[in-house]
Amino acid sequence: MKTQIEQAVLVREINPNDLNAESSMLAHILRNDRAIYEVPKLESWHFYNPTLRRVFASCRALEQDNRPIDALTLSNAMQAAGTLQDIGGIEQLKRIRATQPFSTIKESKLAILSTWQRREGVKVSETVKANMLKPEVPPAEILGYAATEIDMIANYVSEAQAATTEQQLADFYAYAKSRSAGGDKDAMAFTAIPELDNIADITGGSLVIVSGSTGSGKSSFYNTILNAHIKMGLPADSWSGENSVRVQVNRLLSAVTRIGGNDLKHGRFFGSASLEQQVQKASEDIAESGITFTAGSLTASQLISRVNYLHRTKEVKTFLFDRLELVDVSDLSRDVEQGRSMLMERLRTLCVSLDIIIVVACQLRKSYENRPSCEPEIVDLKGTSAIGDSATHVYMLTRPEYHGITEDENGYSTKGRGKIMLLKHTEGELVDVKCLFTADLTLWESDGLEQKTEQGSPYGSAILAAPNNNELIEF
């Protein structure tokens, strides 16, 4: 025979609940009746405890009648409804109000909805088990019921967790105000190339495509992004299907220490106390920033799962994948191009829903070789049009030196130089940025020269009236 404690544990396992969260929620509401407006989708039937369920239902009724919510008005309302004695009288309401909340309103709401979701899942499971024993009920009908119910529960919880319009507007106002202090140069130093970052303005929700001809410096551009994140002390995750972890680490250490990659790889810094200290310091900076490296085979499902896991557990907000063509998309579609299109669409949605940045390297067709400058364009992207269509930003890299072009249009040497072209920007201008390219450090850097900005993006820009006059400003 089970003891009372064992029976209580069993009931809790069968009916998941969080009484601390439920009591915390009511404590918040009874202390501040405005708190109930922060949980518009929370209903009394989400509560497991019968007493707390009745109290919340009465709170919601007072809110709908535009009446204040406190122990006195609540007790009067419940007395009139004949439910006050069922919960233990006004003393019970006072005890609830005096309860020290275990969590914030948001945390309490999430815990209440989570346990309700699990309870509903248990109900669906029990119904499925009972129907499976009935031969007259077709299996397809049983599975269809289960799928429909689970989907409905998940959608309800997702909607209930979503911010209200007022909260979304308040969040935007706070975001804009936080950026106003930086003026026109408040953009994230995503590459640490100011001429590029101030125009591109890479933020959460951005899906960035990086492409260029073979040898144009795509891996170096990734290295440049990682180096910038180290300077900012921000984590990032880097996957490569063509470069081992050792190669990725070697390149990043080279960029951070400014010691040549070959010298690092062959250990030529050993024996020099200052260089060893420099490498050790760089290693610590990389580790402390939260940069992670992976290499090898990767399926589309594994990629999405990895992004979700690292974002939720390590708070990583920047992900780099080198390159799209090396991701196995057979788990999405038997057709490779269709699979890549589906992956890009899912990555765009993922960027928005998690407020993260994903950077994907892609290959080019050889059509750019027919142009005198050998500069690539978006139409040169290899594969489906969904690659460019899904992206918020498209960077194209070119190094004339690699194509045997020794002088630029002004007669200057192209040695150690290149161009990063922002060819798509869904919320702003386009720009070509001439940069220094140091192959031994696998690093792109600003050359400090004034850059050319292209007005009137073919992909659309927002046009608003200027604040103090009738001129139009485009951005």
Side-chain angles (χ1 to χ4, degrees), residues 150-342:
I150 291 173
D151 187 52
M152 182 189 68
I153 295 166
N155 285 336
Y156 185 90
V157 172
S158 177
E159 182 184 0
Q161 292 177 348
T164 64
T165 302
E166 290 79 4
Q167 290 170 332
Q168 292 169 337
L169 290 169
D171 288 345
F172 176 79
Y173 179 82
Y175 167 77
K177 188 173 184 180
S178 68
R179 296 195 62 175
S180 65
D184 294 333
K185 301 186 183 301
D186 68 326
M188 174 185 182
F190 191 69
T191 65
I193 302 174
E195 304 89 342
L196 189 63
D197 294 334
N198 289 331
I199 296 295
D201 194 18
I202 303 291
T203 59
S206 299
L207 176 58
V208 182
I209 295 298
V210 176
S211 193
S213 61
T214 302
S216 62
K218 294 187 293 294
S219 295
S220 297
F221 189 68
Y222 271 41
N223 215 36
T224 301
I225 294 172
L226 292 175
N227 187 39
H229 276 63
I230 293 169
K231 292 178 179 178
M232 293 185 289
L234 297 177
D237 180 61
S238 171
W239 171 83
S240 176
E242 56 186 2
N243 293 313
S244 67
V245 169
R246 185 187 302 115
V247 170
Q248 294 179 68
V249 170
N250 181 70
R251 288 176 171 177
L252 188 54
L253 275 173
S254 178
V256 176
T257 61
R258 305 196 71 82
I259 299 174
N262 282 329
D263 291 334
L264 281 174
K265 181 169 61 177
H266 293 287
R268 294 177 185 140
F269 61 92
F270 288 112
S272 169
S274 61
L275 291 180
E276 286 186 34
Q277 185 177 9
Q278 196 172 337
V279 173
Q280 179 62 33
K281 176 64 168 59
S283 301
E284 292 172 357
D285 290 343
I286 293 173
E288 289 176 4
S289 67
I291 302 292
T292 53
F293 306 93
T294 50
S297 60
L298 187 71
T299 67
S301 297
Q302 289 172 335
L303 185 157
I304 293 171
S305 177
R306 179 175 181 81
V307 170
N308 275 299
Y309 174 77
L310 289 176
H311 175 66
R312 298 185 190 282
T313 61
K314 307 293 183 182
E315 297 185 348
V316 178
K317 296 198 67 173
T318 301
F319 297 85
L320 299 91
F321 296 98
D322 184 17
R323 52 191 165 79
L324 177 64
E325 291 77 15
L326 297 176
V327 177
D328 180 1
V329 294
S330 59
D331 53 345
L332 298 181
S333 174
R334 293 182 180 180
D335 181 83
V336 174
E337 293 304 326
Q338 184 180 13
R340 289 173 184 163
S341 295
M342 293 172 66

Side-chain angles (χ1 to χ4, degrees), residues 88-104:
I90 191 172
E91 294 303 319
Q92 177 73 319
L93 297 179
K94 291 179 179 179
R95 281 193 291 271
I96 293 173
R97 187 185 185 284
T99 300
Q100 182 63 37
F102 290 90
S103 53
T104 64

Side-chain angles (χ1 to χ4, degrees), residues 67 73-84:
R67 296 169 61 190
T73 57
L74 191 57
S75 65
N76 289 337
M78 296 189 76
Q79 180 71 44
T83 57
L84 183 61

